[in-house]
Amino acid sequence: MKKGAVIGLVLGIIFICLVGIAGIAVVTMAEKPEVYEGNYMKFEYDSSLQLSSREQENCTNVTVSDEEGNVVVCSVVIELEDGDKDLFFESVEKTLNGRKEMEIVEKTRGKSNDGEGRKYYREYEVLDIDNNEYKALAQVQKLEDDMYIFTLAYIEEDFEETERLAKITMDSVTYSDVEDAGDLELTEHFEALFEIHSFLIFNVDEDTSIDTEDLDKALEEHKEKIPADLTLKEVEDYEYLMQIDIASADGNIYQVMVPKEYDPEGEKRFITHLDDDGFMLSMYARELFDEETLVDFLEVGNDFIYEDPEKGYINVEKTEIIEENGLVYQICIAERVDHKNQIVKYIELVAAIPLGGTDTLSFSLSFSGKSIDGESREYLEELERYYGVPVTEFPYMFD
């Protein structure tokens, strides 16, 4: 090979190597995370994500999100005297247990990245009522002087990549002396934010209410546009019930029957009525999710308060979920000793009632107090006739 050709070949190889090195450098620089510092926190986040925030009474939440709404919410460092890190995980798990399935797949602990305090992390795999899989990533950093940082992420799709982006933030979040949160847009992602907010409400002796004025305004405007007629109308052969419209979550309008004393107070989607005789009637309508059955609907939306061991109920019994006449229902009965040391009876019937298409009515009727007779019996008979639920069969309530 001629000397010139050899030199040309060598120079060519060197040029290719230099281009390759430059390309690697460009990729490395492009993948270098952005850094946020403010709200007493500092963390890294991928440049493909957006930052937004929402004010609370005594803190600020900073949200790192992608276009699909997968988010990492970092709550400001907050003081918890005699705090217990497990309370945060218990709060998250209580919500996740309301889905079809929830499994803890990872549990770790270690030094927080600033070298002070401890870091605790849990990872969950969840199957929701629509048979969709998602992950929840929860982290607690316990710092000095009873200070904590709470971080939560929901990963709903593209698990491997989105989880990697979430962990860039979760692994790097730490305390900062910088107070100013910076000029961030108002977040529209609320699921993870409200989860942290719910935890703070029950575990922090401060007002941590979220500023939702913009959302409240949007909600009121939306309600005004719903074409439901809230005028109570008489129906032949019904003395104790009157007809009113209810709107389902997907915008359809249905006629339902409510007690004649019911006051809608402008509410078009939810009905709640408590009368002087101790009856409480509540209803709302929504569309069944893909592959969701009426039994799924009832199981996910119902928790009998009588089964809560902290509420003091005794002799608690409930039926299996009963499928009958095209609907499903369940009855729970209980007793409790009142302040006069007398036994008070309690009962609740819950039902999932088809409305049309895939829309379903969630129906609940509860009662406490004396035995049912007279007008109360006639009221129940009208409810049973209209909705098809066997409320006149309430056990031991008729003496």
Side-chain angles (χ1 to χ4, degrees), residues 374-389:
E375 291 187 355
S376 295
R377 175 64 186 241
E378 295 176 11
Y379 164 66
L380 292 180
E381 288 176 348
E382 290 192 1
L383 284 173
E384 182 171 307
R385 176 155 40 105
Y386 185 82
Y387 290 103
V389 289

Side-chain angles (χ1 to χ4, degrees), residues 17-35:
C17 291
L18 290 174
V19 170
I21 292 171
I24 294 171
V26 169
V27 171
T28 304
M29 289 178 65
E31 292 182 350
K32 184 178 180 180
E34 303 286 343
V35 176

Side-chain angles (χ1 to χ4, degrees), residues 9 29 55 106 113 154 181 268 271 284 309 329:
L9 178 62
M29 289 178 65
E55 294 293 329
E106 184 176 342
N113 57 70
Y154 285 124
K268 299 178 180 180
I271 289 173
Y284 71 90
Y329 67 90

Side-chain angles (χ1 to χ4, degrees), residues 212-224:
T212 58
E213 183 178 349
D214 58 318
L215 294 182
D216 294 339
K217 181 180 179 181
L219 180 59
E220 287 304 314
E221 292 175 350
H222 171 70
K223 284 183 178 179
E224 290 176 3

Side-chain angles (χ1 to χ4, degrees), residues 87 230 299 318 369:
L87 292 176
L230 298 185
E299 286 180 334
K318 68 177 180 180

Side-chain angles (χ1 to χ4, degrees), residues 50-282:
Q50 300 86 40
L51 290 185
S52 55
S53 69
R54 186 163 288 271
E55 294 293 329
Q56 292 188 228
E57 187 65 27
N58 287 299
C59 58
T60 300
N61 282 282
V62 177
T63 304
V64 185
S65 62
D66 61 14
E67 293 181 355
E68 284 72 37
N70 291 301
V71 297
V72 179
V73 177
C74 302
S75 179
V76 71
V77 175
I78 196 159
E79 184 174 1
L80 273 176
E81 293 185 5
D82 301 320
D84 183 349
K85 67 181 187 310
D86 289 328
L87 292 176
F88 179 65
F89 296 117
E90 289 172 6
S91 176
V92 172
E93 288 161 18
K94 183 177 181 180
T95 299
L96 298 180
N97 275 317
R99 310 301 192 260
K100 272 188 178 178
E101 296 177 16
M102 185 278 287
E103 179 184 0
I104 301 176
V105 293
E106 184 176 342
K107 214 174 183 181
T108 62
R109 57 181 291 176
K111 281 283 187 181
S112 56
N113 57 70
D114 61 354
E116 298 178 2
R118 305 293 301 181
K119 181 169 64 176
Y120 306 88
Y121 172 84
R122 291 188 191 177
E123 187 174 309
Y124 308 89
E125 289 185 354
V126 184
L127 183 69
D128 69 12
I129 56 178
D130 199 20
N131 291 313
N132 293 320
E133 296 179 354
Y134 69 93
K135 286 187 176 182
L137 316 179
Q139 182 174 280
V140 177
Q141 284 197 56
K142 185 179 185 301
L143 308 175
E144 296 180 346
D145 301 323
D146 295 324
M147 305 302 285
Y148 291 80
I149 301 177
F150 303 105
T151 311
L152 182 61
Y154 285 124
I155 311 301
E156 298 186 15
E157 56 183 63
D158 194 9
F159 287 151
E160 184 175 344
E161 175 61 11
T162 309
E163 186 174 345
R164 182 185 73 82
L165 298 180
K167 287 184 175 179
I168 288 175
T169 298
M170 299 190 80
D171 291 344
S172 65
V173 65
T174 186
Y175 177 79
S176 168
D177 290 326
V178 177
E179 177 181 2
D180 184 11
D183 185 19
L184 301 178
E185 292 186 4
L186 202 61
T187 185
E188 297 178 356
H189 304 301
F190 263 81
E191 184 174 5
L193 188 153
F194 270 129
E195 185 63 47
I196 292 180
H197 175 236
S198 175
F199 164 75
L200 293 177
I201 284 178
F202 295 103
N203 295 281
V204 179
D205 295 329
E206 296 182 31
D207 182 2
T208 57
S209 57
I210 298 177
D211 179 10
T212 58
E213 183 178 349
D214 58 318
L215 294 182
D216 294 339
K217 181 180 179 181
L219 180 59
E220 287 304 314
E221 292 175 350
H222 171 70
K223 284 183 178 179
E224 290 176 3
K225 294 178 181 178
I226 296 176
D229 183 358
L230 298 185
T231 304
L232 290 170
K233 301 178 180 67
E234 292 186 0
V235 176
E236 187 177 356
D237 295 331
Y238 285 89
E239 180 181 355
Y240 298 95
L241 301 180
M242 297 183 73
Q243 188 180 85
I244 195 172
D245 287 354
I246 189 172
S248 68
D250 51 328
N252 295 322
I253 306 299
Y254 299 94
Q255 287 72 49
V256 295
M257 297 290 275
V258 295
K260 58 185 178 182
E261 300 87 4
Y262 172 67
D263 182 359
E265 297 182 341
E267 179 55 65
K268 299 178 180 180
R269 286 218 46 232
F270 300 92
I271 289 173
T272 303
H273 176 74
L274 178 63
D275 66 24
D276 295 335
D277 292 326
F279 288 101
M280 182 172 179
L281 178 67
S282 61

